């Protein structure tokens, strides 16, 4: 399975704003991880002494 061929058939290009789609996919994955970590951190209760 070649992801580039699949992406090319679906969207007709492998680049967006001059950058490879792999870059954009990895940026989205990192952003989702950061959002999830922030949600977990801000949702925690403080430790009681």
């Amino acid at each position: 399975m070649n992801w580039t061929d699949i992406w090319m058939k679906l969207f007709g290009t492998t680049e967006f704003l001059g950058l490879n789609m792999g870059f954009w996919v990895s940026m989205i994955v990192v952003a989702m991880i950061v959002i999830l970590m922030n949600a977990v951190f801000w949702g925690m209760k403080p430790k009681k002494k």
Side-chain angles (χ1 to χ4, degrees):
M1 178 183 300
N2 189 344
W3 292 105
T4 304
D5 289 340
I6 294 170
W7 196 270
M8 191 66 161
K9 286 179 185 175
L10 288 174
F11 302 108
T13 184
T14 58
E15 293 185 358
F16 180 68
L17 298 177
L19 294 170
N20 190 304
M21 285 300 172
F23 170 79
W24 294 113
V25 171
S26 62
M27 287 295 284
I28 291 169
V29 169
V30 169
M32 296 299 269
I33 291 169
V34 168
I35 291 168
L36 178 67
M37 288 176 70
N38 276 302
V40 168
F41 176 77
W42 288 108
M44 290 188 332
K45 302 262 189 251
K47 264 188 177 178
K48 293 183 180 178
K49 291 185 180 180

